Amino acid sequence: MDKGNDAFAFDVLVQLTKVFEAAVKARGSLDAGEQIGQEIRAELEEQRKVIENLGPRFRERPPNIKPS
């Protein structure tokens, strides 16, 4: 099945797991009184780019649809 430049929920969930893992590492550094390391920063930036490229619906806010 062709994604047609739009992300499936599964794609997002896989990436969110990786973002969470990187965020936990960053939080551990901060809790230890250290700055976030370059490796963790690079990992977070990489995950941001991957999620940004998943599909158009995650780049823009959805239209404001009011219930009728």
Side-chain angles (χ1 to χ4, degrees):
M1 186 165 155
D2 185 14
K3 289 199 302 186
N5 200 25
D6 209 1
F8 287 116
F10 179 76
D11 298 328
V12 175
L13 291 175
V14 167
Q15 289 311 125
L16 287 179
T17 301
K18 293 177 182 180
V19 169
F20 180 74
E21 290 171 358
V24 168
K25 289 179 191 176
R27 177 63 189 232
S29 293
L30 294 174
D31 286 346
E34 303 169 0
Q35 291 187 0
I36 298 172
Q38 193 66 21
E39 181 180 313
I40 296 172
R41 286 181 190 271
E43 192 174 333
L44 287 169
E45 178 64 18
E46 178 184 334
Q47 295 307 320
R48 183 192 66 77
K49 288 179 184 177
V50 169
I51 288 173
E52 195 174 79
N53 291 325
L54 281 177
R57 87 171 95 160
F58 297 101
R59 289 190 195 140
E60 301 172 0
R61 261 184 87 108
N64 191 8
I65 301 173
K66 296 182 181 190
S68 52

